[in-house]
Amino acid sequence: MSLKSQLNESNIPRHVAIIMDGNGRWAKKQGNDRSFGHEQGVESVRAALEASVEIGLEFITLYAFSTENWNRPKEEVQALMQLLVQAIAMETPTLLKQNIRLTTIGDVASLPEETRDKLQECIDVTSQNDGLTLVLALSYSGRWEIVDATKKIAEQVKEGKLQIEDIDEDLFGTSLNTSNIPDPELLIRTSGEYRLSNFLLWQLAYSEFYFSEVLWPDFRKQDLVDALKDYQSRERRFGKISEQINK
Ligand code: IPE
Ligand code: IPE
Ligand code: MG
C-alpha cells in the first residue's frame, strides 16, 4: 500500500516538525558508542525525507542540534559536527533528485567553519528546488530565537523605523528565524520523552503533539505515516467548540 493511500488526502499537514531523539540510547543498548547511534540516525532522516516527499508535505523541520547540546562532551559535539558535514556532502545529490530545498534555523554562526561552509553550499545548490523544504534546526533553541527576534525589533524601534504600537504577533513572527515558514501542524518526538527541550516555543503554540516510543535510528516511513494518521483523527478546535468546527 502506498503511503499516501493510508491517509486522508484532504487533511495532510503542510509542516511537520520532529525532535529526533534516542540515538545515544539506541547505540548503548547494543554496546556501541553514542556516535554510532547518530550515524545510524542519518538513515532515519533519509526515510523521513522520502516519506515526506511521497506524502506531499511542504515543510519538515528536524531538530538536529540544540543550544543545550553544546554542553555535551567535546568528543560527541565534534563527532556530530563531523557527521553533519559528511551527511550533507553525501545527501546533496539525493536532495537535488527529490527536489528538496535546504534551509536552517538557529545560531548557524556558532557552528565550526567547515560545517557552515558545507551547509551554505548545499543551501545554495538546492535553492531553486520547489518541492519539500527541509529546515534543519542547528544550534537552535526557542528561547534563543525569541530573544534574537526581540533584539531585532528593539533595534528597529531605536532607529525610529518602527513604532511600539506596530509590534504585534505577525510582526514578531516575521522577526523569527522561521518567517516565511508556516507553523507546524504536527510535532513528533521519538524515544518516549515527553518534553519540548526548547524547540520552536513560539511556533508550536497550537500544534498537535505525537510522542513515539521508537528510538530515532529505528524510525522508518511507516512511523511517520502512523503519526500522520493519529494527527488526522484529532479535532483541532483553536479555542472554539466542536459544533462550530463541524457546522
Ligand atoms: C538525539 O539523540 C540526537 C541529538 C540530540 C543530537 P540523543 O543523542 O539525545 O540520544 P539519547 O536521548 O541520549 O538516547
Ligand atoms: C533535544 O534532544 C535536541 C535534539 C533532538 C537535537 P536532547 O536529547 O538534547 O534533549 P534532552 O536534553 O533530553 O531534553
Ligand atoms: Mg536525547
Side-chain angles (χ1 to χ4, degrees), residues 18-22 25 34 62-66 68-69 72 137 189 193 195-198:
I18 307 183
I19 303 178
M20 311 183 285
D21 200 13
R25 276 164 285 162
R34 293 177 52 84
L62 301 178
Y63 204 6
F65 194 84
S66 71
E68 289 76 20
N69 289 150
R72 290 193 178 191
R189 183 170 190 150
E193 303 293 352
R195 55 179 173 268
L196 281 182
S197 303
N198 218 344

Side-chain angles (χ1 to χ4, degrees), residues 6-201:
Q6 300 180 54
L7 296 166
N8 171 359
E9 286 200 38
S10 67
N11 187 21
I12 304 283
R14 295 182 69 192
H15 184 181
V16 174
I18 307 183
I19 303 178
M20 311 183 285
D21 200 13
N23 295 352
R25 276 164 285 162
W26 183 89
K28 284 275 172 209
K29 263 201 334 197
Q30 29 186 293
N32 277 306
D33 284 353
R34 293 177 52 84
S35 301
F36 183 62
H38 299 314
E39 283 164 31
Q40 292 305 301
V42 177
E43 186 57 41
S44 307
V45 171
R46 216 173 278 141
L49 292 179
E50 263 182 43
S52 301
V53 170
E54 282 174 43
I55 292 162
L57 300 183
E58 290 177 54
F59 297 88
I60 183 165
T61 297
L62 301 178
Y63 204 6
F65 194 84
S66 71
T67 307
E68 289 76 20
N69 289 150
W70 289 113
N71 299 319
R72 290 193 178 191
K74 205 173 88 215
E75 303 70 41
E76 180 164 344
V77 172
Q78 271 174 354
L80 276 166
M81 293 300 147
Q82 202 47 49
L83 179 64
L84 199 58
V85 170
Q86 275 172 21
I88 290 165
M90 278 258 294
E91 298 305 317
T92 301
T94 312
L95 298 185
L96 287 169
K97 209 157 62 201
Q98 294 187 305
N99 195 21
I100 300 173
R101 177 172 73 101
L102 175 69
T103 181
T104 58
I105 55 173
D107 186 13
V108 175
S110 68
L111 299 172
E113 197 181 341
E114 194 192 8
T115 313
R116 250 185 298 144
D117 289 349
K118 269 276 163 276
L119 272 171
Q120 196 53 52
E121 237 174 71
C122 186
I123 289 169
D124 290 344
V125 298
T126 62
S127 65
Q128 299 306 313
N129 290 347
D130 58 5
L132 175 72
T133 297
L134 163 62
V135 183
L136 272 188
L138 290 166
S139 191
Y140 175 87
S141 75
R143 287 186 176 182
W144 168 83
E145 184 188 33
I146 288 168
V147 170
D148 186 61
T150 307
K151 284 183 187 163
K152 285 186 214 156
I153 293 170
E155 192 67 39
Q156 283 182 281
V157 172
K158 193 169 123 189
E159 288 171 7
K161 292 178 185 157
L162 187 70
Q163 301 301 310
I164 289 183
E165 301 74 58
D166 296 333
I167 302 173
D168 59 12
E169 290 187 15
D170 284 341
L171 179 104
F172 202 88
T174 59
S175 309
L176 294 166
N177 285 195
T178 49
S179 67
N180 301 321
I181 301 176
D183 291 343
E185 291 93 335
L186 174 66
L187 168 80
I188 300 171
R189 183 170 190 150
T190 59
S191 87
E193 303 293 352
Y194 299 82
R195 55 179 173 268
L196 281 182
S197 303
N198 218 344
F199 192 40
L200 298 175
L201 297 179

